[in-house]
Amino acid sequence: MRVHKDTSALATRICWVIICTIAPLIIGVMRTYNTAELQALDRNHHIHPFTDHQQMWAKGARVITGAENIYIHDSDGNRYLDGMSGLWCVNIGYGRSELAEIAKLQMEQLPYYNSFFQTAQLPAIELAEELSAITPAHLNRVFFGCSGSDGNDTVIRLVRHFWACEGHPDRQIIISRKNAYHGSTMASASLGGMAGMHAQGGMPIPGIAHIEQPYFYREGGELSPEEFGLQRARLLEQKILELGPERVAAFIGEPIQGAGGVIVPPDTYWPEINRICRTYDILLCSDEVICGFGRTGTWFGMESLNMNTDVMTMAKGLTSGYQPLGAVMISNRMAQALDRKGGEFMHGYTYSGHPVACAVALKNIEIMRKERIIENARENTMAYFQSGIRSLADHPLVGEVRTHGFLAALELVKNKDTREQFDENGTAGLTCREVSFNNGLVMRAVGDSMVLCPPLIITRDQIDRMHDLIMTSLDQTRSVLTK
Ligand code: PXG
């Protein structure tokens, strides 16, 4: 009897503890923040990246409160299929508790220590080794940062430092492409070729040159894709000769341009770029921030697109977006030169090799390997996704379909024969994005190209569902635009 009494008293106490701790939390959250209040606070205090604030304030920010698998939820209880993996990054999907657990463990053991001045810590050491293992054999040294943008700043400094070590300090110029996206710092945005970004704040910085992109649909003219690929690649050769090979350090490109609208280059493009870089001994930098970590069906885009990369930038999928982390890998040739003659590399960030971010990246890669996420996608779902997307070429609004791996773009046009756009302001894209959000699907609009980049774990059933939502959204967009 006594035991029974004690047990029930204990149970009552536990119930009270639960009620007293959880109820105020729930009530507190509900009372403190409804959507309108959150939007008002946001409006008053928060500067958003790449956002027209006047437009956003007119309707209020969409407040995202939770996520699982391939879905996100907003503060009004709506659920959306996230066709963009967040911002091209949540490759293994949302809600993997293993990543939360490893972050907690690492925070308890060593929440922070730096890698400056001859110190090191375990997660960064292990991750450096793991990245050497999963990248092609000649890439074995890594520099850590926090993002793709600072990674590309690091690329500029590393390649210039390398050439100085090799006795060619005049090899300073990096060649990039118009409509490329390499980040948002002064240097990485200058590397990028986004005219709108350059128009704000005095970019590009000196020492960077741009050539045209391999955008066949809009710029291919009468050429075949193969001829166009060669022609655009040979612009690199022309630029090198114009600047003088002794002044050029490197060429940088995304294997497939992501933020530029999923521009998949013709098959002839990268092999010709490889040849040109080899001929003039120009370093080839592959910006893998989007194409890395399985996005194209191999660990890195340089593998599926056949690039002879000397330097590789990665971020996003490195942690599946669960922690901010970036990395730059360099070839053995570069590493040896830096070892021999580099001295102190005067570059680094407080959070270079952050132990929590590195621990999360290691667990993310472990999950990808154990669950064969890339292989499964390549063997079971990517081709299925692509054939569904390709079938949308028949839709009256779709001028071109571009797809590779788990990347796709549907370019919307007013007239499929003439490729005429609805207008110059991306109205068609913005309309379609809004309509698809209302239908429960996140797509990104790059101008009038509707872009998709779903988590690699998406199943065939979910792809079917996504396809239906895209179809409905295209039909509704057409009704709005042709009203
Ligand atoms: N390189 C590439 C190829 C990228 O796509 C960066 C570098 C910069 O990474 P960070 O981590 O500094 O953002 C990126 C980022 C968009 C969009 O609108 C794309 C990116 C970032 C934000 C928005 O499509 N890509």
Side-chain angles (χ1 to χ4, degrees), residues 466-482:
M466 184 164 74
H467 189 85
D468 292 345
L469 290 171
I470 298 170
M471 275 298 270
T472 311
S473 303
L474 288 174
D475 289 343
Q476 290 173 356
T477 303
R478 184 157 180 257
S479 310
V480 175
L481 292 173
T482 53

Side-chain angles (χ1 to χ4, degrees), residues 50 84 87-88 146-150 152 181-184 254 258-259 287-290 315-316 444 446:
F50 283 92
M84 278 305 295
L87 211 44
W88 322 78
C146 313
S147 69
S149 300
D150 70 48
N152 283 324
Y181 189 80
H182 295 297
S184 204
E254 304 153 75
D287 183 336
E288 300 273 353
V289 169
I290 285 178
K316 293 191 191 271
R444 155 124 166 71
V446 176

Side-chain angles (χ1 to χ4, degrees), residues 68-72 79-91 94 262 290 295 385 389 405-410 433 436-437 440-445 450-456 458 462-463 465-467 469-470:
E68 87 287 335
N69 190 252
I70 63 163
Y71 299 97
I72 58 171
R79 188 173 90 142
Y80 306 89
L81 194 162
D82 184 4
M84 278 305 295
S85 301
L87 211 44
W88 322 78
C89 55
V90 188
N91 290 9
Y94 298 96
V262 181
I290 285 178
R295 182 54 57 196
F385 164 77
I389 289 291
F406 263 141
L407 285 168
L410 303 166
R433 188 187 67 177
S436 52
F437 247 113
L441 170 68
V442 183
M443 285 201 273
R444 155 124 166 71
M450 300 315 297
V451 166
L452 287 158
C453 174
L456 306 184
I458 192 169
Q462 290 169 331
I463 290 172
R465 176 77 191 123
M466 184 164 74
H467 189 85
L469 290 171
I470 298 170

Side-chain angles (χ1 to χ4, degrees), residues 47-123:
I47 303 173
H48 290 242
F50 283 92
T51 297
D52 180 325
H53 287 76
Q54 298 292 341
Q55 270 177 19
M56 184 181 70
W57 291 338
K59 53 187 176 136
R62 194 174 273 111
V63 183
I64 306 303
T65 50
E68 87 287 335
N69 190 252
I70 63 163
Y71 299 97
I72 58 171
H73 303 257
D74 72 14
S75 52
D76 291 328
N78 301 308
R79 188 173 90 142
Y80 306 89
L81 194 162
D82 184 4
M84 278 305 295
S85 301
L87 211 44
W88 322 78
C89 55
V90 188
N91 290 9
I92 66 165
Y94 298 96
R96 294 298 303 236
S97 54
E98 303 94 315
L99 297 187
E101 279 149 23
I102 199 74
K104 177 172 182 287
L105 278 176
Q106 185 59 47
M107 281 192 193
E108 283 164 354
Q109 189 174 343
L110 181 69
Y112 173 75
Y113 205 74
N114 63 73
S115 320
F116 282 54
F117 319 133
Q118 306 183 11
T119 59
Q121 26 79 14
L122 186 60

Side-chain angles (χ1 to χ4, degrees), residues 311-366:
V311 184
M312 183 196 280
T313 318
M314 49 183 106
K316 293 191 191 271
L318 171 57
T319 61
S320 281
Y322 282 59
Q323 281 283 294
L325 183 66
V328 176
M329 300 245 10
I330 58 170
S331 66
N332 293 340
R333 174 191 178 197
M334 291 180 67
Q336 280 157 15
L338 297 175
D339 287 349
R340 265 188 290 114
K341 299 212 189 115
E344 183 175 341
F345 183 39
M346 304 278 182
H347 179 64
Y349 309 107
T350 302
Y351 299 126
S352 284
H354 193 286
V356 179
C358 290
V360 169
L362 276 165
K363 185 56 82 179
N364 176 53
I365 295 169
E366 184 189 313

Side-chain angles (χ1 to χ4, degrees), residues 174-193:
I174 324 279
I175 302 176
S176 178
R177 300 176 297 179
K178 292 183 185 162
N179 197 37
Y181 189 80
H182 295 297
S184 204
T185 56
M186 284 296 285
S188 63
S190 296
L191 272 187

Side-chain angles (χ1 to χ4, degrees), residues 201-481:
M203 287 175 278
I205 58 170
I208 292 169
H210 294 89
I211 58 172
E212 301 293 334
Q213 58 179 332
Y215 183 7
F216 178 71
Y217 182 66
R218 287 275 166 217
E219 300 172 11
E222 299 302 310
L223 298 177
S224 70
E226 292 71 26
E227 288 166 342
F228 177 70
L230 285 177
Q231 191 212 56
R232 283 287 149 110
R234 286 175 188 157
L235 294 180
L236 174 62
E237 191 158 29
Q238 278 175 28
K239 186 57 94 180
I240 292 169
L241 293 172
E242 178 193 316
L243 296 165
E246 69 290 346
R247 296 177 59 221
V248 179
F251 175 67
I252 186 166
E254 304 153 75
I256 294 169
Q257 287 156 258
V262 181
I263 311 292
V264 184
D267 290 343
T268 47
Y269 183 77
W270 284 117
E272 184 66 359
I273 295 277
N274 289 338
R275 180 193 68 74
I276 294 163
C277 287
R278 223 178 8 246
T279 305
Y280 300 97
D281 201 13
I282 305 296
L283 298 173
L284 177 55
C285 309
S286 167
D287 183 336
E288 300 273 353
V289 169
I290 285 178
C291 292
F293 296 91
R295 182 54 57 196
T296 66
T298 48
W299 275 97
F300 296 96
M302 59 166 286
E303 294 159 306
S304 43
L305 284 107
N306 297 316
M307 297 170 66
N308 292 343
T309 298
D310 298 289
V311 184
M312 183 196 280
T313 318
M314 49 183 106
K316 293 191 191 271
L318 171 57
T319 61
S320 281
Y322 282 59
Q323 281 283 294
L325 183 66
V328 176
M329 300 245 10
I330 58 170
S331 66
N332 293 340
R333 174 191 178 197
M334 291 180 67
Q336 280 157 15
L338 297 175
D339 287 349
R340 265 188 290 114
K341 299 212 189 115
E344 183 175 341
F345 183 39
M346 304 278 182
H347 179 64
Y349 309 107
T350 302
Y351 299 126
S352 284
H354 193 286
V356 179
C358 290
V360 169
L362 276 165
K363 185 56 82 179
N364 176 53
I365 295 169
E366 184 189 313
I367 292 172
M368 290 183 89
R369 274 181 186 273
K370 268 198 190 143
E371 298 179 9
R372 304 185 73 249
I373 286 178
I374 300 174
E375 292 83 351
N376 282 335
R378 193 170 59 226
E379 286 155 22
N380 302 320
T381 46
M382 272 180 180
Y384 188 70
F385 164 77
Q386 288 166 12
S387 69
I389 289 291
R390 285 209 178 92
S391 73
L392 295 168
D394 295 336
H395 193 279
L397 216 51
V398 176
E400 190 190 44
V401 169
R402 299 183 285 275
T403 180
H404 186 107
F406 263 141
L407 285 168
L410 303 166
E411 186 153 343
L412 310 185
V413 290
K414 189 171 178 186
N415 182 323
K416 282 167 82 103
D417 297 328
T418 61
R419 304 183 182 182
E420 187 195 345
Q421 294 173 275
F422 282 88
D423 62 29
E424 296 282 307
N425 310 321
T427 305
L430 291 176
T431 306
C432 188
R433 188 187 67 177
E434 199 58 26
V435 164
S436 52
F437 247 113
N438 292 339
N439 289 327
L441 170 68
V442 183
M443 285 201 273
R444 155 124 166 71
V446 176
D448 286 338
S449 289
M450 300 315 297
V451 166
L452 287 158
C453 174
L456 306 184
I457 53 148
I458 192 169
T459 64
R460 284 179 173 233
D461 285 349
Q462 290 169 331
I463 290 172
D464 289 343
R465 176 77 191 123
M466 184 164 74
H467 189 85
D468 292 345
L469 290 171
I470 298 170
M471 275 298 270
T472 311
S473 303
L474 288 174
D475 289 343
Q476 290 173 356
T477 303
R478 184 157 180 257
S479 310
V480 175
L481 292 173

Side-chain angles (χ1 to χ4, degrees), residues 136-150:
H138 67 291
L139 300 168
N140 290 298
R141 279 298 169 89
V142 62
F143 185 96
F144 289 117
C146 313
S147 69
S149 300
D150 70 48

